Amino acid sequence: MSVKKIAFPYYRVKEGENLKILTEKFHTDSVKILLLNNMSPKQIKEGAFVKIDQVVKLKND
């Protein structure tokens, strides 16, 4: 795994993704995502912009 600094700290949720998938993809805590965005889990759906940490560990690198 590698650590990258993200220039644009928002991620656009793609079709079929939900909170669980985002936490696995970015190796972060679901509570952290919800608090950063002041959202409920139901609000995280396709097309929504979700703020993520500046530094994340990407699974595929």
Side-chain angles (χ1 to χ4, degrees):
M1 283 191 268
S2 64
V3 176
K4 290 186 177 183
K5 182 152 176 99
I6 298 175
F8 185 68
Y10 290 92
Y11 174 77
R12 189 170 187 170
V13 181
K14 296 181 177 101
E15 184 178 356
E17 289 183 331
N18 57 22
L19 183 60
K20 183 179 178 187
I21 293 170
L22 293 179
T23 57
E24 291 171 0
K25 186 173 189 173
F26 293 110
H27 294 281
T28 188
D29 186 31
S30 60
V31 175
K32 193 174 194 177
I33 291 174
L34 295 174
L35 290 175
L36 256 170
N37 294 288
N38 197 19
M39 298 173 97
S40 73
K42 289 183 179 183
Q43 291 174 311
I44 298 179
K45 54 187 173 187
E46 182 183 356
F49 280 97
V50 179
K51 186 172 184 173
I52 53 174
D53 289 339
Q54 288 291 334
V55 178
V56 295
K57 295 176 185 175
L58 297 176
K59 195 177 206 177
N60 298 333
D61 286 342

